[in-house]
Amino acid sequence: MAASAPLAVLLAKRRSAVCAACAKIGIDEDERRLLVKNLTGHTSLKDCTMGQLSEVLDHLNRGKGGYAGRKRTTPTADRGPLLAKIDALLAELHRVTGEVHTLKYADAIAKRNGWAECVDFADPVALKHIVGALSRTLQFKQAK
């Protein structure tokens, strides 16, 4: 019985986080229920599993702009897949850590290592290095 108590507490915290994220972006209770139904198939947060609650929270925190946090120009063919991979890695870092990692996080990695001033100005080689650094960060966070 003791093992289920921490899970119940975690589920309650995750439900609270979903409600707080909804309040932050101005989603009322009816809209939240519709969103939860569309994403999970459940009408109530209490019926959702931890994974489903994480999916809803991820959707709410991502917003319309995705994890980019700013608008980008249309990337060239050689940079597009790498930029998409960076966005995917940032989203996965969010899922694993519970903290939103924006493109500014990737910018800091690029600047710290001298690959580019920011991701928007990075060439394909620098973008590959950034993808590698984010992948290693994700592996480290998952191992914790």
Side-chain angles (χ1 to χ4, degrees):
M1 190 73 174
S4 66
L7 179 60
V9 170
L10 291 174
L11 285 169
K13 286 182 179 181
R14 189 61 50 102
R15 286 191 293 267
S16 295
V18 168
C19 291
C22 287
K24 181 178 177 184
I25 59 176
I27 293 178
D28 65 11
E29 187 175 341
D30 292 332
E31 289 176 291
R32 186 191 76 224
R33 288 181 190 272
L34 181 61
L35 176 73
V36 170
K37 182 158 176 68
N38 288 338
L39 291 175
T40 67
H42 298 291
T43 55
S44 172
L45 289 174
K46 290 185 179 182
D47 297 333
C48 296
T49 64
M50 182 65 82
Q52 291 169 331
L53 290 170
S54 295
E55 181 182 345
V56 172
L57 190 58
D58 185 47
H59 178 81
L60 291 167
N61 286 332
R62 189 177 321 170
K64 292 181 181 175
Y67 282 90
R70 64 178 178 243
K71 292 214 178 230
R72 280 199 194 125
T73 58
T74 304
T76 58
D78 56 343
R79 293 179 70 238
L82 293 167
L83 291 169
K85 181 65 175 174
I86 289 171
D87 278 342
L89 286 167
L90 292 171
E92 186 64 14
L93 271 170
H94 173 133
R95 188 190 66 77
V96 169
T97 64
E99 300 172 23
V100 177
H101 291 79
T102 64
L103 209 51
K104 289 181 182 181
Y105 185 78
D107 289 343
I109 291 172
K111 190 172 184 175
R112 180 183 63 223
N113 290 295
W115 298 322
E117 203 52 38
C118 75
V119 174
D120 292 330
F121 302 124
D123 62 356
V125 174
L127 289 174
K128 287 179 185 177
H129 289 302
I130 295 166
V131 166
L134 286 170
S135 295
R136 288 186 296 278
T137 301
L138 180 61
Q139 288 174 350
F140 174 76
K141 298 288 185 178
Q142 286 174 330
K144 276 186 163 181

